[in-house]
Structures are given as structure tokens and as C-alpha cells.
Amino acid sequence: MSKIKMVTPLVEMDGDEMTRIIWKMIKDILLEPYIDLNTEYYDLGLVHRNETNDQVTIDSANATKKYGVAVKCATITPNAQRMTEYNLKEMWKSPNGTIRAILDGTVFRAPIIVKGITPLIPTWTKPITIARHAYGDVYKNTEMRVSKGSKAELVVTDENGNETRETIHNFADTDGIIQGLHNTDKSISSFARSCFNFALDVKQDLWFATKDTISKKYDHRFKDIFQEIFDAEYADKFKEAGIEYFYTLIDDAVARVVRSEGGYIWACKNYDGDVMSDMVATAFGSLGMMTSVLVSPDGVYEYEAAHGTVTRHYYKHLKGEETSTNSVATLFAWTGALRKRGQLDNTPELSDFADKLEKATIQTIEDGVMTGDLVALSKLPNKRKVNTEQFLLEIKERLEKLL
Ligand code: NAP
Ligand code: MG
């Protein structure tokens, strides 16, 4: 069989620790034997980020803008302990933060569902994708402690120097606290467009919720921007695709989500997304089955696993001990990127290969062959734990039959 050709390069961002080991195994075992991989390679491993003063991260994001699709391995976000471990020149910023800032994107996280692993909420038979607005609100706030006898005001000075003031609170008889939040029409609009585009892409309904009844200016602005952009740019396209945009109050959304069967995208404000994505991920099972894609408002896609570099397994691997690390989310980052590349380049054989590789992966787990994290969750009677590499070889066996 001749290898599948790729027209446009895929931006490949390598990473750290156990996921870096898995990255190479996936390429060696499941990709390179079948595809003439055409990638533009960027090594985002911490050693190389440090050598290039993090320029490689910026370069990889710019390449993603140029080519439109990237696949990223999990990377270490340095902390004080990593400074010594890797002898770093600086505590480099989170690569995901840097890339997101350049692409101005929204992150969509979705679980991979397999038979035999029931979510903690058993009615969830289809994935729930969470889109988190990743700018502003409490994550870029200004906070103060206020002493008794103070008056706190909100002051806005416009470009002509005119001031508008509103009293927040008179702290007449007690100490207290205040917090200043902001967001921008620009960022909210980008978020809305990313969500609408993604919903059209995967043909799923989009839900959005805020607390606009209480926050009549702040949250209401989110609601209005979403509605205005939907009406002006997306209503027809949604109709054509047979999907819906649905707005409700955040408390109502939470209640409906719990009762739902899944199968939609839930757009969340920054804080709601932070909290709800962990809730949804936990209820669906293992982090090793959670995918993540960053989508920019102009349609650039960066695929990755939602989990980190699985440090604990890596240290075992370094000691020569056997590991059983779940490679599914990383593998689905590759298939997601290859499928998208195939769609954009009009090379259906590439997208078709991605579909088959996903199918083989799901089949492997449904046949009872799985990594340790899933063994703990699966209800299959014949389940069998395999090591990191064996799992990929088992997928390969099934893939060969589908090709
Ligand atoms: P983590 O790498 O996601 O791992 C946390 C734990 O979750 C693991 O120890 C493991 O549990 C389980 N787990 C996660 N992924 C798994 C998989 N594929 N297969 C099996 N088990 C899996 O998070 P972390 O330990 O907090 O962070 C490690 C490093 O990753 C940090 O340096 C952090 O900065 C980085 N990170 C990167 C990204 C990213 O690049 N997107 C995201 C998050 C964190 P057990 O040990 O119990 O088996
Ligand atoms: Mg969180």
C-alpha cells in the first residue's frame, strides 16, 4: 500500500515528559507507516524553549496562523521546582497561554465516549463539549481590602477626561473587600464567533448562559453580543445545518445539563468554564480521554489532549519501570488535526484515515484492551490492562483490518 500524501504542512508542536514519549510512539507505530507525514516541526519541550528564550513557542503559533492547523503535545508550565530541575534562565510562561494570546482562540474540551465506561451521570450518552471564554473577568481583576470608614467608588475617565462615578459601597462600620472586573466587546465577540463556527463545524447545538438577570449590564452585554452576532452572521447557517443556538440563565443551564443526554456545546464565561469543565471531565471519567481544541475566530485550529505531561508516569518510565499511560487523547489530537488538514486540502483519504484510526482506538477499548486508568472505570468483564506501547500495538492490529 502506498502512503497517504499531505499537501499542506501540519504544524507539529512537540512537548514534554511522558506525553513526549507517547508522541514519538504514536508517530512511529500508527502514523508514519501509513502517511507521508508533512509536518513543520517545533520542539516546545522545555529544554528547547529555554534555549530559544521561548521564541519557539511564538514561532509555532505564527506558523499555525499561516497554515491553519496544528497538533500540540502537552508541555510543562514551569514553576519554582522546574526552575531547578531544568536549570531555566527564566520562569517561562505557559505555552498554551502564549499560543492562545497569539491566535485569540477559544478552547473546546470534549470527552471521548466508549462503551463499557459509563459516566457518573449515566444519562450522558453523548459528549458534552465545554467552551471556556479565556479572557478577563475574575482572572484579570483588581482587588482591594477596604478598612472601616471608607467609601468605595467605581470611576471611569473617558478619553476627554470626563469622570463617571458610582458608589460600590460605604464601609461605614466594618472592614471589607472589593473587586474590579472587566471584559471587552472585542474579546466577547471573538469568543462568540469561535463558538458559532465550532458548532457549525461539528454540527451540534450551542448553549450559552450567564447571570444576566442579576448582572444587568455586565453579563447582559455577553448575552447581547452573542445574540447580535448570531442574528447577523449565523442564524441562516445554523438553520441550514439543522442546529440551534440556545440562551438561558446559568442556573437553568446547570439543571438542564445534568438532566440531558449530552451532544451539544456549552459555552461558558471564564469562571463558569473553569469550574464546569472540571466537573464535566470528572463525571465522564479519565483525563486521558479528554480532547481539547483551540479555535480562533478566523478558523485556525490547534488540537491537543486536555491533560498534562503525566509527570508521575514519566518518572516511573525513567526508572525503567513499566507504564500504562493512556494515549487516546493525544492520539485524537493527531486524528483531529489530520482530519481537519484533509478537509481543508480536499484530500479525503487523509480524513478517512483519521476516522479509521479513531474507530480502531475505540474498538480496542471496547474489546476490553485498555490502559490502567480505564481498567479502574470499565465495566467490561473481559478487561485486560496493557502497557503504554502494547496499547498502541493493539490499535495498530485493528487499524490494519480497517485499511
Ligand atoms: P497531568 O499531567 O494531567 O496528570 C495528573 C494525573 O492525572 C496523572 O498523574 C495521572 O494520574 C492522571 N492522568 C493524566 N493524564 C493521564 C493519561 N493520559 N493516562 C493516565 N493517567 C493520566 O497533570 P499534572 O500532574 O498536574 O501536571 C503535569 C505537568 O503537565 C505540569 O508540568 C503541568 O504544567 C503540565 N500541564 C500541561 C498542560 C498542557 O500542556 N495542556 C495541561 C495541564 C498540565 P495517576 O498518577 O494517578 O495515574
Ligand atoms: Mg479548573
Side-chain angles (χ1 to χ4, degrees):
M1 212 188 79
S2 64
K3 290 194 196 182
I4 298 165
K5 297 271 182 302
M6 291 175 64
V7 180
T8 312
L10 174 64
V11 177
E12 173 184 354
M13 304 169 174
D14 207 344
D16 289 299
E17 299 194 312
M18 198 61 208
T19 40
R20 189 180 179 96
I21 307 284
I22 287 175
W23 195 259
K24 184 162 186 318
M25 285 184 185
I26 289 175
K27 288 176 67 178
D28 288 349
I29 299 172
L30 293 170
L31 301 176
E32 279 174 335
Y34 311 102
I35 306 173
D36 242 340
L37 265 191
N38 177 7
T39 69
E40 196 161 294
Y41 180 85
Y42 293 87
D43 183 1
L44 266 54
L46 187 49
V47 173
H48 193 236
R49 271 183 279 150
N50 192 51
E51 280 165 8
T52 62
N53 299 324
D54 210 22
Q55 185 60 39
V56 66
T57 308
I58 296 163
D59 292 346
S60 73
N62 285 326
T64 306
K65 264 189 157 167
K66 176 174 164 193
Y67 294 115
V69 189
V71 56
K72 180 180 171 291
C73 180
T75 47
I76 292 169
T77 298
N79 55 16
Q81 184 254 321
R82 300 292 195 175
M83 292 289 289
T84 20
E85 185 183 352
Y86 283 83
N87 194 16
L88 300 180
K89 294 186 242 178
E90 254 182 60
M91 203 185 288
W92 307 111
K93 283 193 254 175
S94 147
N96 287 47
T98 303
I99 295 166
R100 198 161 57 214
I102 293 173
L103 299 182
D104 181 26
T106 297
V107 174
F108 297 82
R109 278 175 115 190
I112 297 150
I113 298 200
V114 293
K115 291 195 198 90
I117 295 173
T118 318
L120 293 173
I121 299 187
T123 51
W124 288 359
T125 52
K126 296 177 193 164
I128 295 171
T129 302
I130 295 226
R132 173 179 171 189
H133 183 210
Y135 177 82
D137 301 352
V138 72
Y139 301 85
K140 276 235 191 284
N141 70 355
T142 309
E143 308 184 317
M144 285 186 205
R145 287 179 63 168
V146 180
S147 56
K148 180 179 155 183
S150 310
K151 176 178 158 189
E153 291 175 295
L154 208 52
V155 183
V156 174
T157 313
D158 72 14
E159 56 188 348
N160 302 315
N162 304 317
E163 285 185 357
T164 312
R165 284 172 182 268
E166 285 205 40
T167 301
I168 298 170
H169 190 71
N170 264 310
F171 291 86
D173 52 11
T174 171
D175 294 352
I177 43 181
I178 58 166
Q179 186 174 54
L181 307 185
H182 83 279
N183 223 301
T184 65
D185 284 13
K186 181 166 179 267
S187 176
I188 300 166
S189 304
S190 292
F191 176 50
R193 286 196 178 90
S194 293
C195 290
F196 291 132
N197 285 339
F198 189 75
L200 284 170
D201 206 41
V202 297
K203 293 209 169 31
Q204 288 180 5
D205 290 347
L206 177 70
W207 296 14
F208 182 47
T210 72
K211 195 74 185 174
D212 66 283
T213 47
I214 298 298
S215 173
K216 291 185 193 317
K217 295 211 172 96
Y218 197 100
D219 277 18
H220 215 287
R221 189 76 195 124
F222 279 82
K223 177 184 177 181
D224 289 345
I225 288 177
F226 264 70
Q227 196 62 51
E228 283 159 20
I229 291 178
F230 179 74
D231 292 343
E233 302 169 28
Y234 292 94
D236 293 344
K237 293 179 191 158
F238 267 53
K239 208 168 180 182
E240 207 172 299
I243 57 173
E244 252 181 35
Y245 168 58
F246 169 65
Y247 178 88
T248 185
L249 276 175
I250 185 72
D251 0 21
D252 181 48
V254 169
R256 283 170 186 265
V257 164
V258 171
R259 288 195 309 260
S260 77
E261 58 170 26
Y264 50 86
I265 299 153
W266 183 11
C268 292
K269 285 182 63 199
N270 210 347
Y271 177 83
D272 298 338
D274 185 349
V275 177
M276 291 305 163
S277 64
D278 284 343
M279 193 267 287
V280 168
T282 307
F284 271 110
S286 169
L287 257 183
M289 300 292 278
M290 188 60 80
T291 63
S292 169
V293 53
L294 176 75
V295 182
S296 81
D298 47 356
V300 167
Y301 290 72
E302 182 233 333
Y303 293 84
E304 66 172 327
H307 59 75
T309 58
V310 211
T311 310
R312 205 182 62 83
H313 296 209
Y314 180 59
Y315 290 153
K316 273 178 74 177
H317 171 83
L318 286 183
K319 279 193 268 171
E321 291 172 34
E322 185 169 74
T323 57
S324 181
T325 312
N326 190 335
S327 48
V328 172
T330 304
L331 182 52
F332 273 57
W334 273 100
T335 51
L338 291 171
R339 182 186 299 107
K340 179 55 77 182
R341 194 67 273 164
Q343 287 164 356
L344 295 176
D345 290 349
N346 202 10
T347 48
E349 60 283 10
L350 190 59
S351 307
D352 191 47
F353 175 82
D355 291 344
K356 286 179 175 154
L357 184 47
E358 289 183 358
K359 202 170 163 198
T361 306
I362 288 171
Q363 225 175 60
T364 304
I365 301 169
E366 294 184 347
D367 284 348
V369 180
M370 55 192 84
T371 45
D373 57 321
L374 297 184
V375 168
L377 300 168
S378 171
K379 303 205 165 57
L380 293 179
N382 60 336
K383 60 190 177 185
R384 175 161 64 91
K385 176 177 165 181
V386 291
N387 70 32
T388 308
E389 190 182 8
Q390 276 163 355
F391 181 65
L392 295 170
L393 292 170
E394 291 272 351
I395 296 173
K396 186 184 179 76
E397 233 181 83
R398 288 162 181 82
L399 172 67
E400 301 256 334
K401 287 185 194 136
L402 294 175
L403 290 176

